[in-house]
Amino acid sequence: MQAELIRKQSVVFFSDIVGYTRLMGQDENAAFELMKENLQIHQEIFAKYHGQVIKELGDGILGVFETPKDALKASLEIQKFTRENQKFQLRIGMHSVDIIFDHGDIFGDAVNLSSRIQSVGIPSSILISEALHDELGTQSEFTTIKLGAFELKNVEKEVTLFALTNPPLNIPKRTDILKNIKYQER
């Protein structure tokens, strides 16, 4: 008899090092060291905000948080650290939904969607889905701007995205997102 799957409302976090493939082509050892440093930064900051690093996916980090507030605080701290450190830049994307936990991994459409949201961002940005934005409510310490609805690669329905605007984040324009989507379609 199969054990029942564990489903839980969570914020799915995805980050990616900008320009990592190019860096790997220039200096594999330096790129590998950056990847290790990136993981360590994520692990330390996630621990402060009750997050869990699920796994590394190349130069990306997949993680989960129990609350939107913890997810955004951690993401903002990670972006602040990388801006001050100036060794590399990240794009971060997040979505909130019911996900399946199984043997230390997570499954569900939210994983793919968080990855797609991250992939259309710009360096030093944090993009979030409308579902996550709605969970923040109006009494939030986080400021956002609505970027509109987008058709993301391999995502069935249009996704409305918001960008976190708290300093020191870079805030993408709608045209930036559309340009990144077009680039991915090639």
Side-chain angles (χ1 to χ4, degrees):
M1 188 163 152
Q2 185 178 359
E4 190 173 321
L5 294 175
I6 299 170
R7 289 184 176 271
K8 187 175 178 184
Q9 180 74 20
S10 301
V11 177
V12 179
F13 167 102
F14 205 98
S15 71
D16 186 66
I17 299 174
V18 177
Y20 186 80
T21 302
R22 183 178 60 252
L23 180 61
M24 184 61 95
Q26 295 168 346
D27 186 341
E28 288 179 352
N29 292 333
F32 186 70
E33 288 303 314
L34 276 184
M35 194 169 67
K36 288 188 338 189
E37 183 178 339
N38 183 44
L39 177 60
Q40 182 179 353
I41 292 162
H42 279 72
Q43 289 172 329
E44 289 173 9
I45 294 174
F46 271 50
K48 287 173 55 176
Y49 295 101
H50 315 288
Q52 178 184 355
V53 172
I54 299 296
K55 61 184 165 185
E56 288 179 276
L57 298 162
D59 61 317
I61 302 285
L62 172 63
V64 293
F65 291 89
E66 291 184 17
T67 70
K69 190 172 186 177
D70 283 342
L72 289 178
K73 280 184 173 183
S75 298
L76 191 55
E77 189 170 324
I78 288 167
Q79 288 291 33
K80 283 180 180 177
F81 181 88
T82 58
R83 293 270 314 231
E84 290 167 7
N85 197 6
Q86 297 184 355
K87 288 186 179 178
F88 58 91
Q89 293 179 304
L90 296 173
R91 287 184 305 259
I92 296 175
M94 290 181 282
H95 178 52
S96 180
V97 72
D98 242 15
I99 56 174
I100 298 168
F101 287 82
D102 186 40
H103 296 93
D105 206 348
I106 60 173
F107 301 90
D109 190 46
V111 175
N112 298 328
L113 185 52
S114 296
S115 173
R116 294 296 179 208
I117 291 171
Q118 168 277 132
S119 73
V120 298
I122 63 172
S124 300
S125 68
I126 298 174
L127 298 180
I128 63 174
S129 67
E130 185 173 30
L132 179 52
H133 180 267
D134 290 349
E135 284 186 40
L136 291 174
T138 57
Q139 301 300 320
S140 177
E141 65 201 79
F142 306 102
T143 55
T144 60
I145 185 168
K146 185 175 182 176
L147 299 170
F150 299 92
E151 290 183 21
L152 302 180
K153 185 178 178 181
N154 298 326
V155 176
E156 192 173 312
K157 296 179 182 177
E158 280 192 334
V159 179
T160 299
L161 298 179
F162 291 80
L164 200 63
T165 60
N166 295 60
L169 299 174
N170 287 338
I171 304 159
K173 297 176 181 75
R174 182 171 174 79
T175 54
D176 294 326
I177 305 295
L178 292 170
K179 184 176 87 177
N180 289 340
I181 290 170
K182 191 171 215 152
Y183 177 78
Q184 290 176 2
E185 289 173 350
R186 284 191 261 148

